[in-house]
Coordinates of all heavy atoms in Angstrom, one line a residue:
M195 N -64.8 -24.9 38.7 CA -64.5 -25.4 37.4 C -65.1 -24.5 36.4 O -66.3 -24.1 36.4 CB -65.1 -26.8 37.3 CG -64.8 -27.4 36.0 SD -65.4 -29.1 36.0 CE -64.8 -29.6 34.4
G196 N -64.4 -24.1 35.4 CA -64.9 -23.2 34.3 C -65.7 -23.9 33.3 O -65.8 -25.1 33.2
I197 N -66.4 -23.1 32.5 CA -67.2 -23.7 31.4 C -66.4 -23.5 30.1 O -65.8 -22.4 29.8 CB -68.5 -22.9 31.3 CG1 -69.3 -23.2 32.5 CG2 -69.3 -23.3 30.0 CD1 -70.7 -22.5 32.6
Y198 N -66.2 -24.6 29.4 CA -65.4 -24.5 28.2 C -66.3 -24.6 27.0 O -67.3 -25.3 26.9 CB -64.4 -25.7 28.2 CG -63.5 -25.7 29.3 CD1 -63.7 -26.4 30.5 CD2 -62.3 -24.9 29.3 CE1 -62.9 -26.3 31.6 CE2 -61.5 -24.8 30.3 CZ -61.7 -25.5 31.5 OH -60.9 -25.4 32.5
K199 N -65.9 -23.9 25.9 CA -66.6 -23.9 24.7 C -65.7 -24.2 23.6 O -64.5 -23.8 23.6 CB -67.3 -22.5 24.4 CG -68.3 -22.1 25.4 CD -68.9 -20.8 25.1 CE -70.0 -20.4 26.1 NZ -70.5 -19.1 25.9
V200 N -66.1 -24.8 22.5 CA -65.3 -25.1 21.4 C -65.6 -24.0 20.3 O -66.8 -23.8 20.0 CB -65.6 -26.5 20.8 CG1 -64.8 -26.7 19.5 CG2 -65.3 -27.6 21.8
L201 N -64.6 -23.3 19.9 CA -64.8 -22.2 19.0 C -64.2 -22.5 17.6 O -63.2 -23.2 17.5 CB -64.1 -20.9 19.5 CG -64.6 -20.5 20.9 CD1 -63.8 -19.3 21.4 CD2 -66.0 -20.2 21.0
N202 N -64.8 -22.0 16.6 CA -64.2 -22.1 15.2 C -63.2 -21.0 15.0 O -62.9 -20.2 15.9 CB -65.4 -22.2 14.2 CG -66.1 -20.9 14.0 OD1 -65.7 -19.8 14.5 ND2 -67.2 -20.9 13.3
K203 N -62.7 -20.9 13.7 CA -61.7 -19.9 13.4 C -62.2 -18.5 13.5 O -61.4 -17.6 13.7 CB -61.2 -20.2 12.0 CG -60.4 -21.4 11.9 CD -59.9 -21.6 10.5 CE -59.1 -22.9 10.4 NZ -58.6 -23.1 9.0
S204 N -63.5 -18.3 13.5 CA -64.1 -17.0 13.6 C -64.5 -16.7 15.0 O -65.3 -15.7 15.3 CB -65.4 -16.9 12.7 OG -65.0 -17.2 11.4
S205 N -64.1 -17.5 16.0 CA -64.4 -17.4 17.4 C -65.9 -17.6 17.7 O -66.4 -17.0 18.7 CB -63.9 -16.0 17.9 OG -62.5 -16.0 17.8
K206 N -66.6 -18.3 16.8 CA -68.0 -18.6 17.1 C -68.1 -20.0 17.7 O -67.3 -20.9 17.3 CB -68.8 -18.5 15.8 CG -69.0 -17.1 15.3 CD -69.9 -17.0 14.1 CE -70.0 -15.6 13.6 NZ -70.9 -15.5 12.5
E207 N -69.0 -20.1 18.6 CA -69.1 -21.4 19.3 C -69.6 -22.5 18.4 O -70.5 -22.3 17.6 CB -70.1 -21.3 20.5 CG -70.2 -22.6 21.3 CD -71.1 -22.5 22.5 OE1 -71.7 -21.4 22.7 OE2 -71.2 -23.4 23.2
I208 N -69.0 -23.7 18.4 CA -69.4 -24.8 17.6 C -70.3 -25.6 18.5 O -69.9 -26.0 19.6 CB -68.2 -25.7 17.2 CG1 -67.3 -24.8 16.3 CG2 -68.7 -26.9 16.5 CD1 -66.0 -25.5 15.9
V209 N -71.5 -25.8 18.0 CA -72.5 -26.6 18.8 C -72.8 -27.9 18.0 O -73.0 -27.8 16.8 CB -73.8 -25.8 19.0 CG1 -74.8 -26.6 19.8 CG2 -73.5 -24.5 19.7
S210 N -72.9 -29.0 18.7 CA -73.2 -30.2 18.1 C -74.6 -30.7 18.4 O -75.1 -30.6 19.5 CB -72.2 -31.3 18.5 OG -72.5 -32.6 18.1
D211 N -75.2 -31.3 17.4 CA -76.5 -31.9 17.6 C -76.4 -33.4 17.9 O -77.4 -34.1 17.9 CB -77.4 -31.7 16.4 CG -77.9 -30.3 16.2 OD1 -77.9 -29.6 17.3 OD2 -78.2 -29.9 15.1
V212 N -75.2 -33.9 18.0 CA -74.9 -35.3 18.3 C -75.5 -35.7 19.6 O -75.3 -35.0 20.6 CB -73.4 -35.6 18.3 CG1 -73.2 -37.1 18.6 CG2 -72.8 -35.3 16.9
L213 N -76.3 -36.7 19.6 CA -77.0 -37.2 20.8 C -76.4 -38.5 21.3 O -76.5 -39.5 20.6 CB -78.5 -37.4 20.5 CG -79.4 -37.8 21.6 CD1 -79.5 -36.7 22.7 CD2 -80.8 -38.1 21.1
F214 N -75.7 -38.4 22.4 CA -75.2 -39.7 23.0 C -75.4 -39.7 24.5 O -75.4 -38.7 25.2 CB -73.7 -39.9 22.7 CG -72.8 -38.8 23.3 CD1 -72.2 -39.1 24.6 CD2 -72.5 -37.7 22.6 CE1 -71.4 -38.1 25.1 CE2 -71.6 -36.7 23.2 CZ -71.1 -37.0 24.5
H215 N -75.8 -40.8 25.0 CA -76.1 -41.0 26.4 C -74.8 -41.1 27.2 O -73.8 -41.6 26.7 CB -76.9 -42.3 26.6 CG -77.5 -42.5 27.9 ND1 -76.8 -43.0 29.0 CD2 -78.7 -42.2 28.4 CE1 -77.6 -43.1 30.0 NE2 -78.7 -42.5 29.7
P216 N -74.8 -40.5 28.4 CA -73.6 -40.5 29.2 C -73.1 -42.0 29.6 O -72.0 -42.2 29.9 CB -74.0 -39.8 30.5 CG -75.5 -39.6 30.5 CD -75.9 -39.8 29.1
G217 N -74.0 -42.9 29.5 CA -73.6 -44.3 29.7 C -72.6 -44.8 28.7 O -71.8 -45.6 29.0
L218 N -72.7 -44.2 27.5 CA -71.7 -44.5 26.5 C -70.3 -44.1 26.9 O -69.3 -44.9 26.8 CB -72.1 -43.9 25.1 CG -71.1 -44.0 24.0 CD1 -71.0 -45.4 23.5 CD2 -71.5 -43.1 22.9
V219 N -70.2 -42.9 27.5 CA -68.9 -42.4 28.0 C -68.4 -43.3 29.1 O -67.3 -43.7 29.2 CB -69.1 -41.0 28.5 CG1 -67.8 -40.5 29.1 CG2 -69.5 -40.1 27.3
L220 N -69.3 -43.7 30.0 CA -69.0 -44.6 31.1 C -68.5 -45.9 30.6 O -67.4 -46.4 31.1 CB -70.2 -44.8 32.1 CG -69.9 -45.8 33.2 CD1 -68.8 -45.3 34.1 CD2 -71.2 -45.9 34.0
G221 N -69.2 -46.5 29.6 CA -68.7 -47.8 29.1 C -67.4 -47.7 28.4 O -66.5 -48.6 28.6
E222 N -67.1 -46.6 27.7 CA -65.8 -46.4 27.1 C -64.7 -46.2 28.2 O -63.6 -46.7 28.0 CB -65.8 -45.1 26.2 CG -66.7 -45.3 25.0 CD -66.1 -46.3 24.0 OE1 -64.9 -46.4 23.8 OE2 -66.9 -47.0 23.3
E223 N -65.0 -45.5 29.2 CA -64.1 -45.3 30.3 C -63.7 -46.6 31.0 O -62.5 -46.9 31.3 CB -64.6 -44.3 31.3 CG -63.7 -43.9 32.4 CD -62.5 -43.1 31.9 OE1 -62.6 -42.4 30.8 OE2 -61.4 -43.2 32.5
L224 N -64.7 -47.4 31.3 CA -64.4 -48.7 31.9 C -63.6 -49.6 30.9 O -62.7 -50.3 31.4 CB -65.8 -49.4 32.2 CG -66.6 -48.8 33.3 CD1 -67.9 -49.6 33.5 CD2 -65.9 -48.6 34.6
A225 N -63.9 -49.6 29.7 CA -63.1 -50.4 28.7 C -61.7 -49.9 28.6 O -60.8 -50.7 28.6 CB -63.8 -50.3 27.3
A226 N -61.5 -48.6 28.6 CA -60.1 -48.0 28.6 C -59.3 -48.4 29.8 O -58.1 -48.5 29.7 CB -60.2 -46.5 28.5
R227 N -60.0 -48.6 30.9 CA -59.3 -48.9 32.2 C -59.3 -50.4 32.4 O -58.9 -50.9 33.5 CB -60.0 -48.2 33.4 CG -59.9 -46.7 33.3 CD -60.5 -46.1 34.5 NE -60.6 -44.6 34.4 CZ -60.5 -43.8 35.4 NH1 -60.4 -44.3 36.7 NH2 -60.6 -42.5 35.2
N228 N -59.8 -51.2 31.5 CA -59.9 -52.6 31.6 C -60.6 -53.0 32.9 O -60.2 -54.0 33.6 CB -58.5 -53.3 31.6 CG -57.9 -53.1 30.2 OD1 -58.6 -53.3 29.2 ND2 -56.6 -52.8 30.2
I229 N -61.7 -52.4 33.2 CA -62.6 -52.7 34.3 C -63.8 -53.4 33.8 O -64.5 -52.9 33.0 CB -63.0 -51.4 35.1 CG1 -61.7 -50.7 35.6 CG2 -63.8 -51.8 36.3 CD1 -62.0 -49.3 36.2
S230 N -64.1 -54.6 34.4 CA -65.3 -55.3 33.9 C -66.5 -54.6 34.5 O -66.5 -54.0 35.6 CB -65.3 -56.7 34.4 OG -65.5 -56.9 35.8
Q231 N -67.7 -54.8 33.8 CA -68.9 -54.2 34.3 C -69.3 -54.8 35.7 O -69.7 -54.1 36.6 CB -70.0 -54.4 33.3 CG -70.0 -53.5 32.1 CD -71.2 -53.6 31.2 OE1 -72.3 -54.0 31.7 NE2 -71.0 -53.3 29.9
K232 N -69.1 -56.1 35.8 CA -69.4 -56.8 37.1 C -68.6 -56.2 38.2 O -69.2 -55.9 39.3 CB -69.2 -58.3 36.9 CG -69.6 -59.0 38.2 CD -69.5 -60.5 38.0 CE -69.9 -61.2 39.3 NZ -69.7 -62.7 39.2
A233 N -67.3 -56.1 38.0 CA -66.4 -55.6 39.1 C -66.8 -54.1 39.4 O -66.8 -53.8 40.6 CB -65.0 -55.7 38.7
F234 N -67.1 -53.3 38.4 CA -67.4 -51.9 38.7 C -68.8 -51.8 39.4 O -68.9 -51.0 40.3 CB -67.4 -51.1 37.4 CG -67.4 -49.7 37.6 CD1 -66.3 -49.0 38.1 CD2 -68.6 -48.9 37.4 CE1 -66.3 -47.6 38.4 CE2 -68.6 -47.6 37.7 CZ -67.5 -46.9 38.2
A235 N -69.7 -52.6 39.0 CA -71.0 -52.6 39.6 C -70.9 -52.9 41.1 O -71.5 -52.2 41.9 CB -72.0 -53.6 39.0
E236 N -70.1 -53.8 41.4 CA -69.8 -54.2 42.9 C -69.2 -53.0 43.6 O -69.5 -52.6 44.7 CB -69.0 -55.4 43.0 CG -69.7 -56.7 42.6 CD -68.7 -57.9 42.6 OE1 -67.6 -57.8 43.0 OE2 -69.2 -59.0 42.1
A237 N -68.2 -52.3 42.9 CA -67.5 -51.2 43.5 C -68.4 -50.0 43.8 O -68.2 -49.3 44.8 CB -66.4 -50.8 42.6
V238 N -69.4 -49.8 43.0 CA -70.3 -48.7 43.2 C -71.7 -49.1 43.8 O -72.6 -48.4 43.8 CB -70.6 -47.9 41.9 CG1 -69.4 -47.2 41.4 CG2 -71.2 -48.8 40.8
Q239 N -71.7 -50.4 44.3 CA -72.9 -50.9 45.0 C -74.1 -50.8 44.1 O -75.2 -50.3 44.5 CB -73.1 -50.2 46.3 CG -71.9 -50.4 47.2 CD -72.0 -49.6 48.5 OE1 -72.7 -48.5 48.5 NE2 -71.3 -50.0 49.5
M240 N -74.0 -51.4 42.9 CA -75.1 -51.4 41.9 C -75.2 -52.8 41.4 O -74.2 -53.5 41.2 CB -74.7 -50.4 40.8 CG -75.8 -50.3 39.7 SD -75.2 -49.2 38.4 CE -75.7 -47.6 39.1
R241 N -76.4 -53.2 41.1 CA -76.6 -54.5 40.5 C -76.0 -54.5 39.1 O -76.3 -53.5 38.3 CB -78.1 -54.8 40.5 CG -78.7 -55.1 41.9 CD -80.1 -55.5 41.9 NE -80.4 -56.6 41.0 CZ -81.4 -56.6 40.1 NH1 -82.3 -55.6 40.1 NH2 -81.6 -57.6 39.3
P242 N -75.3 -55.5 38.7 CA -74.7 -55.5 37.4 C -75.7 -55.3 36.2 O -75.4 -54.6 35.3 CB -74.1 -56.9 37.3 CG -73.7 -57.2 38.7 CD -74.9 -56.7 39.5
P243 N -76.9 -55.9 36.3 CA -77.9 -55.6 35.2 C -78.2 -54.1 35.1 O -78.4 -53.5 34.0 CB -79.1 -56.4 35.5 CG -78.6 -57.5 36.4 CD -77.5 -56.9 37.2
H244 N -78.3 -53.4 36.3 CA -78.6 -52.0 36.3 C -77.5 -51.2 35.6 O -77.7 -50.2 34.9 CB -78.9 -51.5 37.7 CG -80.2 -51.9 38.2 ND1 -80.7 -51.6 39.4 CD2 -81.2 -52.8 37.7 CE1 -81.9 -52.1 39.6 NE2 -82.2 -52.9 38.6
L245 N -76.2 -51.5 36.0 CA -75.1 -50.9 35.3 C -75.1 -51.1 33.8 O -74.9 -50.1 33.1 CB -73.8 -51.4 35.9 CG -72.5 -50.7 35.3 CD1 -72.4 -49.2 35.5 CD2 -71.3 -51.4 35.9
N246 N -75.4 -52.3 33.4 CA -75.4 -52.6 32.0 C -76.5 -51.8 31.3 O -76.3 -51.2 30.2 CB -75.7 -54.1 31.8 CG -75.6 -54.4 30.3 OD1 -76.7 -54.5 29.7 ND2 -74.4 -54.6 29.8
E247 N -77.7 -51.6 31.9 CA -78.7 -50.8 31.4 C -78.3 -49.3 31.3 O -78.6 -48.6 30.3 CB -80.0 -50.9 32.2 CG -80.7 -52.3 32.0 CD -81.9 -52.5 32.9 OE1 -82.1 -51.6 33.8 OE2 -82.6 -53.5 32.7
L248 N -77.6 -48.9 32.3 CA -77.1 -47.5 32.3 C -76.1 -47.3 31.1 O -76.2 -46.3 30.3 CB -76.4 -47.2 33.6 CG -76.0 -45.7 33.8 CD1 -76.0 -45.4 35.3 CD2 -74.7 -45.3 33.2
I249 N -75.2 -48.2 30.9 CA -74.2 -48.1 29.8 C -74.9 -48.2 28.5 O -74.5 -47.5 27.5 CB -73.2 -49.2 30.0 CG1 -72.3 -48.9 31.2 CG2 -72.3 -49.4 28.7 CD1 -71.3 -50.0 31.6
K250 N -76.0 -49.0 28.4 CA -76.8 -49.0 27.1 C -77.7 -47.9 26.9 O -78.4 -47.8 25.9 CB -77.6 -50.4 27.1 CG -76.7 -51.6 26.9 CD -77.5 -52.8 26.8 CE -76.6 -54.0 26.5 NZ -77.5 -55.3 26.4
G251 N -77.8 -46.9 27.9 CA -78.6 -45.8 27.7 C -80.1 -46.0 28.1 O -80.9 -45.2 27.8
K252 N -80.3 -47.0 28.8 CA -81.7 -47.3 29.3 C -82.0 -46.8 30.7 O -83.1 -46.8 31.1 CB -81.9 -48.8 29.3 CG -81.9 -49.4 27.9 CD -82.1 -50.9 27.9 CE -81.9 -51.5 26.5 NZ -82.1 -53.0 26.5
R253 N -81.0 -46.3 31.4 CA -81.1 -45.7 32.7 C -80.4 -44.4 32.7 O -79.4 -44.2 32.0 CB -80.5 -46.6 33.8 CG -81.4 -47.8 34.1 CD -80.8 -48.6 35.3 NE -81.6 -49.7 35.6 CZ -82.6 -49.7 36.5 NH1 -82.7 -48.7 37.3 NH2 -83.3 -50.8 36.7
H254 N -80.8 -43.5 33.6 CA -80.1 -42.2 33.7 C -79.1 -42.2 34.8 O -79.2 -43.0 35.8 CB -81.2 -41.1 34.0 CG -82.0 -40.8 32.8 ND1 -83.1 -41.6 32.5 CD2 -81.9 -39.8 31.9 CE1 -83.7 -41.1 31.4 NE2 -83.0 -40.0 31.0
I255 N -78.2 -41.3 34.8 CA -77.2 -41.1 35.8 C -77.8 -40.1 36.8 O -78.1 -39.0 36.5 CB -75.9 -40.6 35.3 CG1 -75.2 -41.7 34.4 CG2 -75.0 -40.1 36.4 CD1 -73.9 -41.3 33.8
S256 N -78.1 -40.6 38.0 CA -78.6 -39.8 39.1 C -77.5 -39.1 39.8 O -76.3 -39.4 39.6 CB -79.4 -40.6 40.0 OG -78.6 -41.5 40.8
A257 N -77.8 -38.2 40.7 CA -76.8 -37.5 41.5 C -76.0 -38.5 42.3 O -74.8 -38.4 42.5 CB -77.4 -36.4 42.3
V258 N -76.7 -39.4 42.9 CA -76.1 -40.4 43.7 C -75.1 -41.3 42.9 O -73.9 -41.5 43.3 CB -77.1 -41.3 44.4 CG1 -76.5 -42.5 45.1 CG2 -78.0 -40.5 45.4
I259 N -75.5 -41.7 41.8 CA -74.6 -42.5 40.9 C -73.4 -41.6 40.5 O -72.3 -42.1 40.4 CB -75.4 -43.1 39.7 CG1 -76.4 -44.1 40.1 CG2 -74.4 -43.7 38.7 CD1 -77.3 -44.6 39.0
A260 N -73.7 -40.4 40.1 CA -72.6 -39.5 39.7 C -71.5 -39.4 40.8 O -70.3 -39.4 40.5 CB -73.2 -38.1 39.4
V261 N -72.0 -39.3 42.1 CA -71.0 -39.2 43.2 C -70.2 -40.5 43.3 O -69.0 -40.5 43.5 CB -71.7 -38.8 44.5 CG1 -70.8 -39.0 45.7 CG2 -72.3 -37.4 44.4
K262 N -70.9 -41.6 43.1 CA -70.2 -42.9 43.2 C -69.2 -43.0 42.0 O -68.1 -43.5 42.2 CB -71.2 -44.1 43.1 CG -72.0 -44.2 44.4 CD -73.0 -45.3 44.3 CE -73.8 -45.5 45.6 NZ -74.7 -46.6 45.6
L263 N -69.5 -42.5 40.9 CA -68.6 -42.6 39.7 C -67.4 -41.7 40.0 O -66.3 -42.1 39.7 CB -69.3 -42.1 38.4 CG -70.5 -43.0 37.9 CD1 -71.1 -42.3 36.7 CD2 -70.0 -44.4 37.6
E264 N -67.6 -40.5 40.6 CA -66.5 -39.7 41.0 C -65.6 -40.4 42.0 O -64.4 -40.3 41.8 CB -67.1 -38.4 41.6 CG -66.0 -37.4 42.1 CD -66.6 -36.2 42.7 OE1 -67.1 -36.3 43.9 OE2 -66.6 -35.1 42.0
Q265 N -66.2 -41.0 43.0 CA -65.3 -41.7 44.0 C -64.5 -42.8 43.4 O -63.4 -43.0 43.7 CB -66.2 -42.3 45.1 CG -66.9 -41.2 45.9 CD -67.9 -41.7 46.9 OE1 -68.4 -42.8 46.7 NE2 -68.3 -40.9 47.9
Q266 N -65.1 -43.5 42.4 CA -64.4 -44.7 41.9 C -63.5 -44.4 40.7 O -62.4 -45.0 40.5 CB -65.4 -45.8 41.4 CG -66.1 -46.4 42.5 CD -65.2 -47.2 43.4 OE1 -64.3 -47.9 43.0 NE2 -65.4 -47.0 44.7
L267 N -63.8 -43.4 39.9 CA -63.1 -43.1 38.7 C -62.3 -41.8 38.7 O -61.4 -41.5 37.9 CB -64.0 -43.0 37.5 CG -64.8 -44.3 37.1 CD1 -65.8 -44.0 36.0 CD2 -63.9 -45.4 36.7
G268 N -62.6 -40.9 39.7 CA -61.9 -39.7 39.8 C -62.3 -38.6 38.8 O -61.7 -37.6 38.6
I269 N -63.5 -38.9 38.2 CA -64.1 -38.0 37.2 C -65.2 -37.3 38.0 O -66.1 -38.0 38.5 CB -64.6 -38.7 36.0 CG1 -63.4 -39.4 35.3 CG2 -65.2 -37.7 35.0 CD1 -63.8 -40.3 34.1
S270 N -65.2 -36.0 38.0 CA -66.2 -35.2 38.8 C -67.6 -35.6 38.6 O -68.1 -35.9 37.5 CB -66.0 -33.7 38.7 OG -66.6 -33.3 37.5
A271 N -68.4 -35.6 39.7 CA -69.8 -35.8 39.6 C -70.5 -34.8 38.8 O -71.4 -35.1 38.0 CB -70.4 -35.8 41.0
G272 N -70.0 -33.6 38.8 CA -70.5 -32.5 37.9 C -70.4 -32.8 36.5 O -71.3 -32.5 35.7
F273 N -69.3 -33.5 36.1 CA -69.1 -33.9 34.7 C -70.2 -34.8 34.3 O -70.9 -34.7 33.2 CB -67.8 -34.5 34.5 CG -67.6 -35.2 33.2 CD1 -67.2 -34.4 32.1 CD2 -67.7 -36.6 33.0 CE1 -67.1 -35.0 30.8 CE2 -67.5 -37.2 31.8 CZ -67.2 -36.4 30.7
W274 N -70.5 -35.8 35.1 CA -71.5 -36.8 34.8 C -72.9 -36.2 34.7 O -73.7 -36.5 33.9 CB -71.5 -38.0 35.8 CG -70.2 -38.7 35.7 CD1 -69.2 -38.7 36.6 CD2 -69.7 -39.6 34.6 NE1 -68.1 -39.5 36.2 CE2 -68.4 -40.1 35.0 CE3 -70.3 -40.0 33.4 CZ2 -67.7 -40.9 34.2 CZ3 -69.5 -40.8 32.6 CH2 -68.3 -41.3 33.0
M275 N -73.2 -35.3 35.7 CA -74.5 -34.6 35.7 C -74.6 -33.7 34.5 O -75.7 -33.7 33.9 CB -74.6 -33.8 37.0 CG -74.7 -34.7 38.2 SD -76.0 -36.0 38.2 CE -77.5 -35.1 38.1
R276 N -73.6 -33.1 34.0 CA -73.7 -32.2 32.8 C -73.9 -33.1 31.6 O -74.7 -32.7 30.7 CB -72.4 -31.4 32.7 CG -72.4 -30.2 33.6 CD -71.2 -29.2 33.3 NE -69.9 -29.8 33.4 CZ -69.3 -30.0 34.6 NH1 -69.8 -29.5 35.7 NH2 -68.1 -30.5 34.6
L277 N -73.2 -34.2 31.5 CA -73.5 -35.1 30.4 C -75.0 -35.5 30.4 O -75.6 -35.5 29.3 CB -72.6 -36.3 30.5 CG -71.2 -36.2 30.0 CD1 -70.5 -37.6 30.2 CD2 -71.0 -35.8 28.6
Q278 N -75.5 -35.9 31.5 CA -76.9 -36.3 31.6 C -77.8 -35.2 31.2 O -78.8 -35.4 30.5 CB -77.2 -36.9 33.0 CG -78.6 -37.5 33.1 CD -78.8 -38.7 32.2 OE1 -78.1 -39.7 32.4 NE2 -79.7 -38.7 31.3
M279 N -77.6 -34.0 31.8 CA -78.4 -32.9 31.5 C -78.4 -32.5 30.0 O -79.4 -32.3 29.4 CB -78.0 -31.7 32.3 CG -78.9 -30.4 32.1 SD -78.3 -29.0 32.9 CE -76.7 -28.7 32.1
D280 N -77.2 -32.5 29.4 CA -77.0 -32.2 28.0 C -77.8 -33.2 27.1 O -78.5 -32.9 26.2 CB -75.6 -32.2 27.6 CG -75.4 -31.7 26.2 OD1 -75.8 -30.6 25.8 OD2 -74.7 -32.5 25.4
Y281 N -77.7 -34.5 27.5 CA -78.4 -35.6 26.8 C -79.9 -35.3 26.9 O -80.7 -35.4 25.9 CB -78.1 -36.9 27.4 CG -78.9 -38.0 26.8 CD1 -78.6 -38.6 25.6 CD2 -80.0 -38.6 27.5 CE1 -79.3 -39.6 25.0 CE2 -80.7 -39.6 27.0 CZ -80.4 -40.1 25.7 OH -81.2 -41.1 25.2
D282 N -80.4 -35.1 28.1 CA -81.8 -34.9 28.3 C -82.4 -33.7 27.5 O -83.4 -33.7 26.9 CB -82.1 -34.7 29.8 CG -81.9 -35.9 30.6 OD1 -81.8 -37.0 30.1 OD2 -81.8 -35.8 31.9
L283 N -81.6 -32.6 27.5 CA -82.0 -31.4 26.8 C -82.1 -31.6 25.3 O -83.0 -31.2 24.6 CB -81.1 -30.2 27.1 CG -81.3 -29.6 28.5 CD1 -80.2 -28.5 28.8 CD2 -82.7 -28.9 28.6
K284 N -81.0 -32.2 24.8 CA -81.0 -32.5 23.3 C -82.1 -33.5 22.9 O -82.7 -33.3 21.9 CB -79.6 -33.1 22.9 CG -78.6 -32.0 22.9 CD -77.2 -32.6 22.4 CE -76.2 -31.5 22.4 NZ -74.8 -32.0 22.1
L285 N -82.4 -34.5 23.8 CA -83.5 -35.4 23.5 C -84.8 -34.7 23.5 O -85.6 -34.9 22.6 CB -83.5 -36.5 24.5 CG -84.5 -37.6 24.3 CD1 -84.2 -38.3 23.0 CD2 -84.4 -38.6 25.4
A286 N -85.0 -33.8 24.5 CA -86.3 -33.1 24.5 C -86.4 -32.2 23.3 O -87.5 -32.1 22.7 CB -86.3 -32.2 25.8
K287 N -85.4 -31.5 22.9 CA -85.4 -30.6 21.7 C -85.7 -31.4 20.4 O -86.5 -31.0 19.6 CB -84.1 -29.8 21.5 CG -84.0 -28.7 22.6 CD -82.7 -28.0 22.4 CE -82.5 -26.9 23.4 NZ -81.3 -26.2 23.3
K288 N -85.1 -32.6 20.4 CA -85.3 -33.5 19.2 C -86.8 -33.9 19.2 O -87.4 -33.9 18.1 CB -84.4 -34.7 19.3 CG -84.5 -35.6 18.1 CD -83.5 -36.8 18.2 CE -83.6 -37.7 17.1 NZ -82.7 -38.8 17.2
Q289 N -87.3 -34.3 20.3 CA -88.7 -34.8 20.4 C -89.7 -33.6 20.1 O -90.7 -33.8 19.5 CB -89.0 -35.3 21.8 CG -88.3 -36.6 22.0 CD -88.4 -37.1 23.5 OE1 -88.7 -36.4 24.4 NE2 -88.1 -38.4 23.7
M290 N -89.3 -32.4 20.5 CA -90.2 -31.2 20.2 C -90.2 -30.9 18.7 O -91.3 -30.5 18.2 CB -89.7 -30.0 21.0 CG -89.8 -30.1 22.5 SD -91.5 -30.2 23.1 CE -92.0 -28.5 22.8
K291 N -89.1 -31.2 18.0 CA -89.1 -30.9 16.6 C -89.9 -32.0 15.8 O -90.5 -31.6 14.8 CB -87.6 -31.0 16.1 CG -86.8 -29.8 16.4 CD -85.4 -30.0 15.9 CE -84.5 -28.8 16.3 NZ -83.1 -28.9 15.9
V292 N -90.0 -33.2 16.4 CA -90.8 -34.2 15.7 C -92.3 -34.0 16.0 O -93.1 -34.3 15.1 CB -90.3 -35.6 16.3 CG1 -91.3 -36.7 15.8 CG2 -88.9 -35.9 15.9
A293 N -92.6 -33.6 17.2 CA -94.0 -33.4 17.5 C -94.7 -32.3 16.7 O -94.2 -31.4 16.2 CB -94.1 -33.1 19.0

């Protein structure tokens, strides 16, 4: 899988400082597919409260969870891991600026 960049008219990469947890993407994906959190939690062998915490950004997507998401949704585990890594890096940079 290639790495994609968003470029402006001058062919310079557009970088966003928007910080969003990968759980937000998961929640949107479940909503778009009309899958309830409870049903999905059962499908990925996760307790419903844990899935809810993940969607709310209170839990991280681990490699195991990423693989389960790939199996159930057909969205690559690498995608989920990249979202988590990007979130973690942006959060760390934001915290370093504050400190």
Side-chain angles (χ1 to χ4, degrees):
M195 180 175 184
I197 296 177
Y198 299 95
K199 296 179 181 180
V200 177
L201 305 177
N202 66 13
K203 291 180 181 179
S204 303
S205 297
K206 292 186 180 182
E207 183 178 4
I208 297 172
V209 180
S210 172
D211 289 335
V212 176
L213 183 65
F214 66 91
H215 191 275
L218 175 68
V219 177
L220 177 58
E222 293 290 327
E223 187 65 28
L224 295 180
R227 296 180 187 212
N228 293 318
I229 302 172
S230 73
Q231 285 187 27
K232 183 178 179 184
F234 192 74
E236 290 174 8
V238 294
Q239 300 171 337
M240 180 184 275
R241 292 182 49 224
H244 287 182
L245 177 64
N246 184 263
E247 289 175 353
L248 192 152
I249 290 171
K250 289 183 175 181
K252 296 178 181 178
R253 287 186 178 263
H254 288 83
I255 293 180
S256 68
V258 171
I259 292 173
V261 170
K262 289 180 179 184
L263 295 177
E264 177 180 74
Q265 291 170 343
Q266 291 297 315
L267 299 173
I269 300 171
S270 79
F273 170 79
W274 297 108
M275 294 305 297
R276 283 189 298 278
L277 281 181
Q278 185 64 61
M279 181 185 64
D280 186 57
Y281 174 80
D282 292 343
L283 287 172
K284 284 181 179 176
L285 183 62
K287 287 178 181 180
K288 183 178 178 180
Q289 290 171 342
M290 294 294 288
K291 287 180 183 176
V292 172

